[in-house]
Amino acid sequence: SLTKAPALPATTLANYCYQSMFYCTSLTKAPVLPATTLTKYCYSNMFDGCTSLSEASELPATKLADNCYSNMFNGCTSLTEAPVLPATTLATLCYEYMFKGCTSLTKAPELTATTLSNYCYYYMFNGCSSLNEVRCQIPSSYTSSQISSYANNWLSGVSSTGTFYTNADANWPSGASGIPTGWTRTNT
């Protein structure tokens, strides 16, 4: 059983290159992933179902591609801390289901993106039942209905109470596709 991943030093990636690479319940630590420019589906499903994974690697990418992180940590029930996501311009479905079912995750990574794309946050934290803190800065230029579309069900199945930190002029809708009912909005 694989508990430690091999080094993955590649900085130039091809489409689908690491897709579904690890489906192993004994892996506890993710390998270093130094690429800063991603390609379509390059990390999708990479750690899907790795239930012992408790430590994610840094994700320094600032140039994203469609579905690049889709389902990356789906079902990683031991993951307690999400990696920093530094990209400020998002791609279509880039974070789709990224942390779905990460039931030990209590705090989302700070989401500083100012340019969104279709379904970029689609179901991102769906089923993260312990998640109770989100920090997301979305410009006021996005309407409530746009945000609801980009973040469709992104916070469905999270903790019934929590704190959502955002800028005062953001047009967040209420519910699973915005700020969950029962959560406190704190303007920063």
Side-chain angles (χ1 to χ4, degrees), residues 87-90 111-117 120-121 135-148 150 164-173 185 188:
T88 58
T89 299
L90 304 185
L111 303 169
T112 58
T114 54
T115 304
L116 307 183
S117 188
C120 52
Y121 294 133
R135 294 177 184 272
C136 189
Q137 303 299 319
I138 288 183
S140 61
S141 57
Y142 289 102
T143 67
S144 178
S145 61
Q146 285 176 308
I147 293 171
S148 183
Y150 296 141
F164 195 99
Y165 298 90
T166 191
N167 44 318
D169 60 354
N171 298 304
W172 282 98
R185 176 179 176 154
T188 55

Side-chain angles (χ1 to χ4, degrees), residues 49-99:
C50 291
T51 56
S52 296
L53 186 70
S54 59
E55 192 175 334
S57 58
E58 288 184 34
L59 298 175
T62 53
K63 293 184 180 172
L64 306 185
D66 295 354
N67 299 87
C68 56
Y69 291 125
S70 294
N71 294 287
M72 186 174 188
F73 299 103
N74 184 2
C76 292
T77 55
S78 296
L79 189 65
T80 57
E81 189 174 334
V84 173
L85 300 173
T88 58
T89 299
L90 304 185
T92 299
L93 293 163
C94 60
Y95 296 142
E96 171 197 30
Y97 293 105
M98 187 174 184
F99 299 101

